RNA sequence: GGAGGGGUUCCCGAGUGGCCAAAGGGAUCAGACUGUAAAUCUGACGCGUGAGCUUCGGUGGUUCGAAUCCACCCCCCUCCA
């Protein structure tokens, strides 16, 4: 791809929300290989799929011949970004943040290429330059360039300032300045001239553009991507089981695959643009083909396949599909013993029980403890609707107290496995020790 | 430091002595319908199979009885100094 075609490409993928310095930026990108960055703050020990969009855009830029820098916010994570947050955030300890930084650095590194010559990627931590800055230098050399009048006008903090019942601490208010300083610093260190981020980062990015000009007289640019939304208005990236994380220890490849497979029709094509490297023309063709056909569209399957491979690799995808095939084909009985064991290794939720555990206790207890159900009430509700099965046999309300009859020895797969199912989509494998 | 407003179950938000496990909405879960969709309808939605148990910032108190009243404390917001 030509250096400059990247903007056109991103536009076709609907990945551009706002551009700072549009024409100049296109010109800038067309005339050489540039350095750009995106920041990722450690707010947990893993990124979630919301961060995938900017991460992949970094890679898109790299594929177009530009040099990406992934910045991990070891310093900014200590402060907390107030942008569009309704409430002040709880501060985490430096120890915790530092541990998170390590994990996120590794995670981020998987999406960009560190060994491709001149435009090899970099990962940096803003603690490198923020740690030794003293308060007075900060206030005199950096803070002096910011107008509080302008800062309180930022849309990102407006609700915190104007809304009755909320507020903002000086700490979080200062976040904008820290992130702005990052940009100017990267501009100095690596001649970084573009910052990208989610649309919520617009205020922080323009702050950095202004500061870089004031500090170094350099013209730099910004680009934001749209916030990922869902057709039904629910928050993207969350499911009943919680957030969809990139870390396979937190969200198994199977769960990850299922998440994408369950995308709404109206979202699937947009997500294909956002989260895959498929050509836009191919996505358009797929959409047209799906429209022609009756029944289930192919888009979700393609989406799940592509994104799972991207994040969890071919092996992760393989595992996810294997489980999906086994569970949704209804042919659990046809699985071999090693298949069943493989399911467990592949990330199907599982736990080990002893026969003696069935002597007393209740089914609701067992299913709740296993994590299959959130509460006994849920199990109770499902039992009343024939929505709980073990190895394919539906259980009723009467079975709740008779645990041993739910797990009959003769019904065990290979003498020791029970696959419990709650509703249509939730499974848990029990192995008898 | 002063004056005022506020902290309710995942979120928003009603509730000012018993009828309150706490309205309503959202989110979520399950069932029907389907395509492992959407929309719609139904049910659940603090915990417990159950009797029952534990909740309304915290601690004490008043009362037969408190989310509701009182005292003190903690936290948040607004204005003043």
């Amino acid at each position: 791809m030509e250096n400059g075609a990247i903007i056109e490409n991103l536009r076709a993928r609907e990945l551009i929300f706002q551009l700072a310095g549009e024409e100049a930026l296109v010109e800038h990108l067309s005339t050489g290989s540039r350095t750009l960055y995106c920041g990722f703050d450690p707010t947990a020990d893993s990124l979630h799929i919301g961060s995938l969009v900017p991460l992949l855009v970094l890679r898109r830029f790299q594929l177009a011949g530009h040099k990406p820098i992934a910045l991990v916010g070891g310093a900014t994570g200590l402060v907390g970004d107030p942008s569009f947050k309704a409430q002040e955030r709880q501060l985490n300890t430096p120890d915790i943040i530092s541990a998170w930084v390590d994990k996120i650095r590794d995670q981020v590194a998987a999406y960009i290429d560190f060994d491709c010559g001149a435009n090899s990627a970099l990962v940096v931590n803003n603690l490198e330059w923020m740690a030794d800055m003293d308060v007075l230098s900060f206030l005199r050399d950096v803070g002096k360039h910011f107008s509080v009048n302008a800062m309180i006008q930022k849309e990102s903090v407006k609700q915190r300032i104007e809304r009755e019942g909320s507020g903002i601490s000086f700490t979080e208010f200062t976040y904008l300045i820290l992130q702005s300083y990052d940009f100017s610093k990267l501009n100095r260190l690596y001649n970084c001239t573009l910052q990208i981020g989610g649309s919520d980062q617009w205020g922080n990015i323009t702050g950095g553009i202004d500061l870089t000009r004031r500090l170094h007289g350099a013209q730099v640019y910004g680009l934001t991507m749209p916030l990922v939304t869902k057709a039904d208005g629910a928050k993207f990236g969350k499911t009943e089981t919680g957030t969809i994380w990139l870390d396979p220890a937190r969200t198994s490849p199977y769960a990850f695959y299922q998440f994408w497979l369950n995308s709404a029709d109206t979202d699937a094509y947009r997500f294909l643009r956002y989260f895959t490297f498929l050509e836009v023309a191919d996505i358009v063709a797929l959409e047209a083909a799906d429209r022609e056909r009756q029944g289930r569209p192919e888009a979700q399957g393609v989406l799940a396949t592509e994104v799972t491979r991207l994040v969890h690799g071919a092996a992760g995808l393989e595992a996810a599909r294997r489980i999906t095939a086994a569970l949704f084909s209804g042919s659990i009985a046809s699985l071999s013993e090693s298949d069943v064991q493989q399911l467990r290794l592949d990330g199907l939720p599982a736990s080990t029980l002893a026969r003696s555990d069935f002597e007393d206790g209740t089914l609701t207890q067992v299913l709740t403890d296993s994590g299959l159900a959130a509460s006994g009430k849920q199990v109770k509700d499902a039992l009343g609707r024939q929505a709980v099965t073990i190895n394919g046999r539906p259980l009723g309300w009467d079975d709740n107290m008779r645990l041993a009859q739910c797990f009959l020895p003769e019904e065990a797969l290979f003498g020791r496995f029970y696959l419990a199912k709650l509703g249509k989509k939730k499974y848990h494998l029990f192995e008898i020790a």
Side-chain angles (χ1 to χ4, degrees):
Chain A
M1 195 188 298
E2 289 288 314
N3 288 166
I6 180 73
I7 293 294
E8 227 18 75
N9 181 271
L10 293 178
R11 210 188 295 281
R13 307 197 84 96
E14 298 164 33
L15 275 168
I16 295 180
F17 186 72
Q18 281 169 301
L19 286 174
E22 171 153 5
E23 278 164 36
L25 174 58
V26 172
E27 169 71 15
H28 179 67
L29 291 170
S30 309
T31 50
S33 171
R34 307 300 180 183
T35 301
L36 72 151
Y37 99 95
C38 181
F40 300 90
D41 270 1
T43 53
D45 68 359
S46 168
L47 296 174
H48 51 83
I49 53 175
S51 305
L52 207 47
V53 174
L55 221 37
L56 295 180
V57 170
L58 278 184
R59 174 144 152 194
R60 294 178 205 282
F61 269 96
Q62 188 170 34
L63 291 171
H66 302 285
K67 179 184 182 74
I69 298 175
L71 178 147
V72 181
T76 36
L78 289 167
V79 167
D81 185 0
S83 298
F84 298 100
K85 301 283 191 309
Q87 287 187 327
E88 185 86 9
R89 309 272 281 222
Q90 186 75 39
L91 288 176
N92 288 298
T93 66
D95 286 358
I96 292 177
I97 301 275
S98 148
W100 289 351
V101 162
D102 291 341
K103 300 197 91 165
I104 286 170
R105 185 193 295 120
D106 293 344
Q107 225 166 35
V108 157
Y111 296 88
I112 39 185
D113 191 346
F114 291 87
D115 188 23
C116 58
N119 68 328
S120 292
L122 279 179
V123 177
V124 299
N125 180 349
N126 55 13
L127 197 60
E128 289 164 24
W129 52 82
M130 286 309 308
D132 332 310
M133 175 166 284
D134 63 280
V135 191
L136 292 178
S137 308
F138 176 73
L139 291 175
R140 291 179 61 92
D141 301 341
V142 184
K144 197 68 176 168
H145 297 289
F146 287 84
S147 149
V148 169
N149 307 49
M151 285 169 74
I152 59 177
Q153 293 303 319
K154 298 271 182 190
E155 204 56 47
S156 52
V157 295
K158 224 169 195 171
Q159 71 161 318
R160 291 281 288 277
I161 289 174
E162 289 178 357
R163 187 187 173 200
E164 182 83 12
S166 70
I168 183 166
S169 67
F170 180 71
T171 306
E172 286 197 4
F173 190 57
T174 312
Y175 185 91
L176 165 75
I177 301 183
L178 291 190
Q179 185 166 331
S180 299
Y181 184 69
D182 285 344
F183 198 0
S184 69
K185 195 75 188 175
L186 288 174
N187 175 256
R188 273 302 86 166
L189 293 172
Y190 305 107
N191 195 27
C192 175
T193 50
L194 171 65
Q195 180 180 179
I196 67 170
S199 57
D200 58 333
Q201 292 300 307
W202 181 251
N204 293 336
I205 292 174
T206 52
I209 293 174
D210 287 343
L211 182 65
T212 307
R213 183 175 49 240
R214 288 184 183 148
L215 240 35
H216 311 306
Q219 175 64 54
V220 293
Y221 306 89
L223 180 159
T224 60
M225 289 147 276
L227 201 66
V228 183
T229 55
K230 295 209 303 187
D232 61 8
K235 194 165 183 177
F236 173 75
K238 305 270 186 183
T239 68
E240 65 277 10
T241 11
T243 305
I244 303 296
W245 303 94
L246 298 184
D247 183 349
R250 278 194 168 226
T251 301
S252 71
Y254 163 69
F256 189 85
Y257 182 85
Q258 284 289 322
F259 170 79
W260 296 104
L261 200 58
N262 280 305
S263 303
D265 293 4
T266 42
D267 291 329
Y269 308 97
R270 199 159 38 91
F271 289 175
L272 280 165
R273 286 179 167 85
Y274 288 173
F275 295 100
T276 74
F277 286 90
L278 297 179
E279 295 296 332
V280 174
D282 294 339
I283 297 169
V284 171
L286 178 65
E287 184 167 6
D290 277 343
R291 227 193 330 262
E292 289 301 307
R293 196 176 329 107
Q294 290 296 312
R296 180 160 203 176
E298 279 180 16
Q300 285 91 338
V302 176
L303 177 67
T305 301
E306 291 294 322
V307 186
T308 307
R309 181 162 43 218
L310 206 55
V311 174
H312 296 299
L317 172 62
E318 203 38 54
R321 300 186 98 159
R322 194 160 45 226
I323 300 181
T324 298
L327 298 185
F328 289 94
S329 68
S331 59
I332 297 151
S334 68
L335 293 172
S336 73
E337 187 164 359
S338 66
D339 282 347
V340 176
Q341 277 170 325
Q342 187 61 43
L343 291 184
R344 187 168 185 170
L345 292 175
D346 287 346
L348 181 71
S351 52
T352 304
L353 295 173
R355 282 253 165 242
S356 57
D357 292 335
F358 301 143
E359 283 164 15
D360 52 25
T362 58
L363 186 62
T364 49
Q365 189 71 47
V366 170
L367 296 188
T368 310
D369 288 350
S370 72
L372 182 60
S375 74
K377 284 267 165 57
Q378 260 183 32
V379 180
K380 182 180 171 182
D381 182 48
L383 281 170
R385 295 160 185 274
Q386 300 279 296
V388 179
T389 67
I390 289 182
N391 283 350
R393 180 167 62 90
L395 299 175
W397 183 227
D398 297 340
D399 294 308
N400 185 38
M401 295 301 287
R402 295 176 298 174
L403 200 47
Q405 303 199 23
C406 302
F407 294 90
L408 294 168
E410 61 269 27
E411 286 187 352
L413 291 171
F414 310 107
R416 59 201 167 99
F417 293 110
Y418 294 95
L419 187 68
K421 177 181 172 192
L422 191 155
K424 284 175 186 160
K425 298 179 194 172
K426 291 196 285 199
Y427 293 89
H428 191 92
L429 183 70
F430 291 101
E431 181 174 358
I432 305 302

